[in-house]
């Protein structure tokens, strides 16, 4: 209809840098991730705040199973990080999946049980690029396999976990 609502904004975060991704819980709470700014909260439950800035080079941020998660693809320990719940103030992120020093993860999806994760990695196939399937057993994440997309890495994905075998939609590099 040509109309929109500006739900959240900031004039102090991401200055001279970029927002790479944003996520919502669907209840007017928003989080943004950026190159050197870490994770920032913008929403209605609390005042805008830096959730964390210890882990930088964040790429994609999303909410899965009531937890805020994000990927890191350069500099810091690369892989998938997560918070316990949806923080609106300073909190520490946990390094859930370590992709290794040559990984370059972007998009990701986690099943409802929290036992399967798919991560799109833009690295060359020689360094694990493609779509990585990770499984969690007894509290430990392990790489199950990598779909190599005819020799190219991946940047974004979404997964339909409602099927017997998950249906993956992805973009390649």
């Amino acid at each position: 209809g040509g109309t929109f609502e500006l739900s959240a904004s900031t004039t102090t975060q991401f200055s001279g840098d970029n927002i790479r991704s944003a996520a919502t819980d669907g209840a007017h709470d928003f989080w943004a991730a950026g190159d050197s700014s870490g994770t920032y909260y913008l929403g209605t439950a609390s005042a805008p705040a830096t959730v964390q800035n210890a882990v930088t080079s964040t790429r994609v941020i999303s909410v899965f199973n009531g937890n805020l998660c994000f990927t890191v693809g350069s500099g810091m320990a690369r892989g998938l990080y997560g918070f316990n719940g949806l923080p609106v103030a300073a909190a520490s992120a946990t390094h859930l999946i370590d992709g290794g020093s040559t990984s370059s993860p972007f998009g990701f999806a986690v099943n409802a049980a929290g036992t399967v994760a798919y991560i799109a990695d833009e690295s060359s196939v020689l360094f694990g690029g493609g779509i990585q399937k990770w499984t969690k057993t007894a509290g430990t994440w392990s790489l199950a396999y990598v779909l190599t997309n005819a020799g190219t890495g991946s940047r974004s994905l979404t997964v339909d976990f409602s099927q017997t075998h998950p249906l993956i939609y992805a973009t390649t590099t």
Side-chain angles (χ1 to χ4, degrees):
T3 62
F4 68 93
E5 174 187 334
L6 179 61
S7 298
S9 67
T10 177
T11 58
T12 59
Q13 224 24 48
F14 308 106
S15 177
D17 212 338
N18 60 353
I19 294 177
R20 290 182 169 168
S21 184
T24 182
D25 62 0
H28 298 289
D29 290 310
F30 305 90
W31 293 265
D35 185 24
S36 61
S37 300
T39 309
Y40 196 72
Y41 170 77
L42 297 138
T44 59
S46 184
T50 298
V51 173
Q52 69 81 29
N53 58 10
V55 182
T56 59
S57 193
T58 54
R59 296 226 170 123
V60 174
I61 190 166
S62 195
V63 175
F64 285 100
N65 307 324
N67 297 304
L68 188 64
C69 300
F70 60 90
T71 53
V72 171
S74 66
M76 309 293 294
R78 301 171 185 196
L80 181 66
Y81 288 75
F83 295 96
N84 186 15
L86 302 171
V88 298
S92 294
T94 301
H95 195 189
L96 303 172
I97 296 176
D98 186 350
S101 64
T102 60
S103 68
S104 187
F106 275 83
F108 62 95
V110 181
N111 72 345
T115 57
V116 175
Y118 290 94
I119 299 176
D121 191 304
E122 75 167 358
S123 300
S124 74
V125 172
L126 294 173
F127 297 114
I131 300 169
Q132 302 170 348
K133 178 183 180 182
W134 293 81
T135 56
K136 185 178 182 181
T137 305
T140 302
W141 286 99
S142 301
L143 180 62
Y145 58 80
V146 179
L147 300 172
T148 59
N149 304 322
T152 65
S154 294
R155 280 237 175 97
S156 184
L157 63 73
T158 189
V159 179
D160 178 357
F161 285 105
S162 70
Q163 309 294 316
T164 302
H165 301 287
L167 185 57
I168 303 167
Y169 300 89
T171 60
T172 63
T173 57

